[in-house]
Each structure stands twice: as C-alpha cells, then as structure tokens.
Amino acid sequence: MRFSKMLIPTLKEAPKDAVLPSHIYLVRGGFIYQVASGIYDFLPLGKRVLDKVRAIVKEELDDAGCQEVQLGFVTPADLWKKSGRYEKYGAELLRFEDRKGNEFVLGPTHEEMMVELAKQFVNSYKQLPMNLYQINLKFRDEARPRFGLMRGREFIMKDGYSFHADREDMVREFELMEATYRKIFTRMGLDFRVVEADSGAIGGEGSKEFMVLADSGEDTIVVCEGCDYAANIEAAKRRKPETDAEAPEADLNRFHTPGITTIEDLAKFFYVDPWYLIKAVAKKALYDEGKSEIVLFFLRGSDELQEVKATNAVGANELVDATEEELEAAGLVPGYMGPVELIRNVGALEGTPPFHEEKAHLNVRMVFDEGLKDAKNMICGANEKDYHLVGVDLTVLKDLEFADLAQTQEGDACIRCGGKLAYTKGIEVGHIFQLGTRYSEPLGATFLDRDGKAKPFVMGTYGIGVSRLLAAVIEQHHDERGSIWPVSVAPFEAVVIVGNVKDEAQKEAGEKIYERLAAEGVDVLLDDRTERFGFKMKDFELIGFPYAVVVGKKLSDGLVELVDRQSLEKRELPIDEAVTQLLEKVR
Ligand code: ATP
Ligand code: MG
C-alpha cells in the first residue's frame, strides 16, 4: 500500500467536543469520521484496525469451539414483545415501522433473535452445548453518545450466546469464555481486570466484566490491595464495617432540630458520628406497565446509596428522583424522613411517642441497608418538620426489608480477605453473563432432553465491544504526539518513509525495502508522498504505526533509520540490518 494513494485525511486540529486522547487521535489520524452524533464512518486505517481486532476475536472464539453466524440488524418487534423487553428497554431501543406497518427495532443486542434461531433448529440434547456468535452492528439510542468510539449509538459488538442442557454445563462454558476473553484482550496488548459485575434482576455471581484500566474509564471498579478481588462498584461487596465512634445513647424521644435537614448538619448539631445517623433516600421506582411506587431507602449516614443495588433490591426497571410533591403526597416530610411511621405501624416499640396521630398511613415501601441490621442508638428523621428522633433501636422491629444498598467505599474491608479496598477506573470492553432461562422460557425455546422431556435451554451470553476496543487500546497506548499501536492491531505494522521522493536513489531504495518487507509478510505501508520529511514524520507519530524505516540523506553511506514509535528511539543501520531487526520486532 502507498500512502499517496490511500485515503488518510490526517488533521492538525481535534474536534471541539473531543476530550479523550482516543477520540482526538482517531479523528486526527484519519481513522474515523463522525457522520452524526454517535455514528461514525471507518476510513481505510480505521477499517484495518477494526478488521485486526475482529480477526483476533474470531480466531480465539473459533478455537474455543464457537460458531460464527450473522443475524439481521433489523429485528421484528414481536420477539421483543414476547420477551418483555419492548417496553423495558426504554428510549435506547430505536423502534420503527416498514411500509406495511410492521414494527421493527434496530438490534441493540440479540438475545431474542438468537433464541429464535435456536428454537427453530436446535431440538435435542444431542445438539448441545452450542455457542453461536456474531460480530455485527448494534444500535442503541444512547442518551449521551460521547468520547468517539467509546460510547457510540451505532457500534460493533461481538455478541455470543450459548445453549445448554443444564446449569452445570453453562457454568463450564462461562469459565471457558472468561479464559478465552483473557486471551483476546492480552493479545491486544491491554492491561485489564476481570471484575464481578451487576447481574441485574437475575442476581447471583453470574456476571463478570472485562475492564481496561484507564483514568478516562467511565466505570469505577473496586479492587483489593490484598487479594485479587475486583468488582464493579455497582456490585462490589465489603465486610460489614465497624466503628470506634461513641454511640449517642438516649431513650427514644422526639428532639427539636430546627432547619437541620442534612446528615452533615445533623452530625454537627448532635456532635455525633454519621455512623449513628439514619440517612433516608427517597426514589420513585418504575416498573412494567407504567406502575410505580415511592421507595424510602435507609442507610447509615456514613454510607451512600448505590443506585444499581437499590434498583435490584426492589426489582424496578429504573429509579428516578421523587419530586417534593410526590413525597408530600406519600405523607413524607422532605429533610425529616425516617422509618418512624413504620415504627408506629408495627407498634412493636414500647413508648413510641404519641405525636401526629392524625397523619395518614405512609404510602411508601421501605428498604433498609444490611449495614443497619442490629443498629441501636440511632438518630433519624421524625417525619415531622424540624424534628428528629433519638435513641432509635431498629432491632426491636420485626419484618423489616433488608438488602445490600450501600456503595462500597475506599478503605472498606474486602469481602474475601479483609484487605483494604481501593477505587480505580476502567473501560468496559467485555461482559459475560449467566443467563439461565430468562429468554428461552418466555420465547418458548425448548429441547428434548435425555428423558424425553421438553426443557428450556439454559443459556449464557457473552459480549465484546469491538469498536470500543479501538478507543480502549489508544487510551492505554498513546503519548502527547499520537497513538502508539501494539503490533497485533496496528493499521500497518511498519511504514517505510522516503525522506525526499524527488531524490531518485532514496525513492528506489524505499521501494526496494518496502517490497522486501511485504514479501516477508510484513503489513507495511510506503510513505511515498511528496510532502516535506518533517510533515511525514509528524503523521507517523500521530497515526502511531509501531515502526518506521526512514530512507534519508545517509543512504549515500548505505544507512537508513529504524524508528520505534513507542520510545521514539532512532537507530542508523545498514539496510539489511534494519530489515532483519524490523522482522524480529514484528514477529
Ligand atoms: P455500558 O455500561 O458501557 O453502557 P453495557 O453494559 O450497556 O455497556 P453490554 O450490553 O454489556 O453493554 O454490551 C457488551 C459490550 O458492548 C460492552 O461491554 C461494551 O464494551 C460494548 N458497548 C456497549 N454499549 C456501547 C456503546 N454505546 N458504544 C460502544 N460500545 C458499547
Ligand atoms: Mg455490560
């Protein structure tokens, strides 16, 4: 390939909205072009990287026994209605009709479609297990598409789905996929962590994410300094925290706290550690069929609500902020909310103060964080303006709903080894998930088992953000001049730069080296443009080919330069030596 003939529109300026190095360099290096918000064209260099990423993914998956298919990008809405996701998926699902009025959605993921395929053609346990995957377009009408390929609306995903006769076999495949994904990301030169992830309503420990470590990552991950425990903050667990702080011992009583509405002010007012305060977070939980309810989540004042955990705890599709009007309609007093009404309703607490008896029954669901189990000597809102309750003992209350709601904090103790937990940032490039029968059951996808009985497939699902990977690789491999591609996914492994194409000898030597390298199987580009030498070097650094052979003035002494993009080290070598060393490096 010749640079002079290729469409590589490198740019001096970055797009105005680009803040991440990967976004800046992919655009400036002429890899991608933005057509609309979150929608990109891949130009020749971008396509070459994409194909290399794809090829690595395919090679490792095929090696692990998976089979590649390609499903329609436009998917019938009917399937989505059957699985219940037509509604649940929300605004990210792009719905439309064809000319006959048939409803479709652009596939954001393909569980429904793949289950439909298996339903048609996989009928017996003898055909199991089976793992089918595709590397294909996805469309999600993301609320905030940004960071270039990192969060697009149209993007390329590898999505795989496995079908099994039982759970045990599905878990075996899940582990095989974890090992396979590790190989894939290692081959791409990525520094990553496999973390425990949110499993949504399905729960359990059946979900892991592959996180590329990068400060620019949108995900916070919790890692243990003592062992290899790592989890997405949405799922991270900790040992139950303890405190040395002095408990505010008191008899149950109402206390005048005028204008004190925050945990911070309350802690100051009572000279007490937030540990002994009950924080109330009110949310409106949204369910299927337009149902909703106000939920009060209670935690220690020293903790924060983890919204994904909270959403799972009540089985909601989404939690949104409740308005003041909604809170008041539910009988709550913003700034002074507490479980006190519950205390009265349960009536289990002797000596409950007889105040505002007239108040209607609270119309809310209450969920307590596990950290509040056994909580005594607590202070909480009295559900009355300017009043709190002191001396609250939760242990005397029966039938409270407890769940893991609190966000794990830096410094907390690891659930596994007790070591210290810390935060770090990551980019999610892969996600594997033990699905069970979540889709096979509603879609009626069954097989005949050994005993002749029809059973729903037990499934796993496995995703890789193929186009996002281009961005993730650059986030880990760049400097202030541009990208630095690892050889395995570089658009070209090397470029031969002719310093001055008007110099016949340089031009001829450049062509020869280029042909030699190509004949040796190196993926090589010849920069034969008439541009100034300095301009071509700048492009080399910006685009980030791993190596360059520069044919310049020293050619008259039989010497060329071998340049390493990573270190920017330049070495003058005889032509043969330069070729030999380059071959060693790219192999
Ligand atoms: P995220 O939390 O980043 O929105 P997700 O959990 O919704 O991702 P999955 O449904 O698990 O994504 O999809 C599998 C993989 O597809 C993700 O691990 C990620 O690498 C990639 N991916 C998801 N959304 C996008 C997007 N908008 N643009 C590019 N890649 C994406
Ligand atoms: Mg995910």
Side-chain angles (χ1 to χ4, degrees), residues 140 209 428 430-431:
R140 295 182 183 177
E209 287 165 341
E428 183 191 324
H431 193 170

